[in-house]
């Protein structure tokens, strides 16, 4: 059954690499949701813990690679977001008074 886990690990991790590469190359994180990527990164970290607890090498290897990439992208999302994004979001959410 390890071959099934290994095949799944190769497919899911390799599917993630092009997006990570594009993000590293362009530094464009505008299309990345901070909430989604935070949850995704947390989930990958838990999969890694799970793989370590089981001693399942395919799960561990795939999630070490994916966690490294996800943390890098999450770090870029935090580093490259507009500094005044919170101010703009508050202004858009504020009710407008029309006279």
């Amino acid at each position: 059954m390890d071959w099934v886990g290994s095949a799944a690990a190769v497919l899911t991790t390799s599917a993630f690499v092009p997006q990570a590469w594009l993000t590293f190359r362009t530094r464009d994180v505008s299309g990345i949701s901070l909430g989604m990527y935070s949850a995704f990164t947390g989930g990958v970290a838990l999969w890694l813990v799970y793989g370590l607890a089981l001693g399942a090498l395919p799960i561990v290897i795939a999630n070490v690679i994916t966690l490294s990439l996800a943390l890098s992208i999450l770090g870029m999302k935090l580093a490259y977001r507009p500094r005044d994004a919170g101010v703009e979001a508050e202004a858009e959410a504020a009710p407008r008074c029309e006279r």
Side-chain angles (χ1 to χ4, degrees):
M1 268 334 245
D2 272 351
W3 70 270
V4 173
S6 297
V10 167
L11 289 172
T12 57
T13 302
S14 62
F16 188 71
V17 171
Q19 182 65 51
W21 178 252
L22 179 66
T23 304
F24 294 144
R25 194 171 43 85
T26 64
R27 304 274 193 248
D28 180 11
V29 292
S30 61
I32 294 174
S33 164
L34 181 59
M36 178 272 179
Y37 244 81
S38 298
F40 175 76
T41 303
V44 172
L46 291 175
W47 273 112
L48 175 58
V49 170
Y50 181 70
L52 289 168
L54 291 179
L57 198 56
I59 295 173
V60 171
I61 292 170
N63 286 291
V64 163
I65 294 168
T66 305
L67 184 60
S68 300
L69 294 170
L71 282 170
S72 298
I73 292 172
L74 186 58
M76 288 174 44
K77 177 65 177 175
L78 294 170
Y80 296 126
R81 67 181 171 181
R83 298 289 181 229
D84 58 351
V87 174
E88 289 176 13
E90 287 177 19
E92 289 179 13
R96 296 178 189 210
C97 297
E98 294 184 28
R99 296 181 190 210

